[in-house]
Amino acid sequence: MTDPIRIDVWSDIACPWCYIGKRNLENGLAVAGQDDDAPQVEVVYHSFELSPDTPVDFDGSSADFLAQHKGISIEQAHAMNDRVSQIARDQAGLHYRFDIQQHTNTVKAHELTHFAKEHGKQLEMTERIMSAYFLEGRHVGRIDDLVALAEEVGLDGAAARAALESDAYLPAVRADQEQARGYGINGVPFFVVDGKYGISGAQPAEAFTQVARQVWAEHQV
């Protein structure tokens, strides 16, 4: 039995390019999955905080945060959001709602994805949080809101709350970040394939189809 390809993905919940990259990865793997000898792939998500000093309840819009964080004008921030929204829609079929987005600190969301991973639902939890944040304008930084999202994917709400309130999975978040530093990752999304190939940025779906086929062929040797 051939071992599956392992794709480790470093991303941040609040990174618009990470959601585009996630969807492009899924779409690219779906195409490869139609091959007669379809690649078997395991995808694992890892935590990366782009702005760890962000408050849980940021006072302002997404554009306000972008302007402050990058030192640009509010007009430039709106233009950047418009550009990424168009790419998200055209490349990945995602309809971002920066107008209702609630910018927040993402560490608790990352902790929740590790809790979900231990219960076999990391992929579902990651998708649910990103969808809630980018498409629905829901808050993903507060424990109450995260527990509600956990329950939506079938996780036990009381157990999720206990994990978040106790910081039980904060060491796992920090371990991911330390591993990213070891790899020299300083921007996300970043994909590590089989521990030896690095792919930076939200590459188009076709790129992921190609790499899946190439690496799967290497597994057959």
Side-chain angles (χ1 to χ4, degrees):
M1 191 73 178
T2 304
D3 291 335
I5 299 168
R6 178 175 167 120
I7 301 180
D8 292 283
V9 187
W10 272 263
S11 68
D12 192 2
I13 302 300
C15 164
W17 297 104
C18 292
Y19 200 9
I20 295 170
K22 178 181 185 297
R23 189 62 87 247
N24 287 351
L25 171 65
E26 292 163 351
N27 291 339
L29 294 179
V31 172
Q34 297 172 12
D35 294 352
D36 290 337
D37 182 20
Q40 302 300 304
V41 183
E42 176 190 11
V43 179
V44 180
Y45 280 88
H46 299 273
S47 303
F48 193 101
E49 291 179 276
L50 287 169
S51 304
D53 56 345
T54 303
V56 171
D57 292 299
F58 176 76
D59 185 17
S61 67
S62 170
D64 291 329
F65 176 83
L66 195 58
Q68 293 176 25
H69 186 65
K70 292 190 172 294
I72 58 178
S73 70
I74 194 70
E75 292 78 16
Q76 288 173 311
H78 280 299
M80 288 180 69
N81 279 346
D82 288 345
R83 175 174 172 267
V84 74
S85 291
Q86 182 174 351
I87 292 171
R89 183 175 61 253
D90 294 346
Q91 272 196 22
L94 297 169
H95 297 273
Y96 284 176
R97 291 294 307 275
F98 287 115
D99 57 318
I100 59 173
Q101 189 178 79
Q102 299 188 63
H103 204 79
T104 186
N105 188 287
T106 60
V107 69
K108 285 296 174 188
H110 284 299
E111 290 178 36
L112 182 58
T113 63
H114 281 280
F115 168 82
K117 179 183 178 182
E118 191 165 277
H119 293 81
K121 287 186 175 289
Q122 189 197 39
L123 298 183
E124 295 91 337
M125 194 74 257
T126 300
E127 173 65 27
R128 188 68 198 94
I129 294 172
M130 285 186 157
S131 175
Y133 181 69
F134 283 107
L135 311 184
E136 303 165 33
R138 291 176 65 172
H139 203 298
V140 300
R142 297 186 296 241
I143 289 177
D144 286 350
D145 300 89
L146 289 169
V147 168
L149 292 174
E151 290 175 337
E152 288 180 24
V153 301
L155 292 168
D156 181 86
R161 181 180 298 279
L164 293 173
E165 290 179 346
S166 66
D167 295 335
Y169 292 88
L170 183 58
V173 174
R174 299 300 180 229
D176 275 356
Q177 294 168 332
E178 185 63 30
Q179 189 176 5
R181 283 189 287 271
Y183 275 133
I185 298 170
N186 52 27
V188 288
F190 196 93
F191 307 82
V192 177
V193 183
D194 272 356
K196 55 184 180 180
Y197 301 118
I199 302 172
S200 179
Q203 300 297 322
E206 296 79 14
F208 292 113
T209 302
Q210 180 180 353
V211 76
R213 287 170 172 163
Q214 173 190 326
V215 176
W216 187 242
E218 294 174 6
H219 280 222
Q220 314 305 310
V221 177

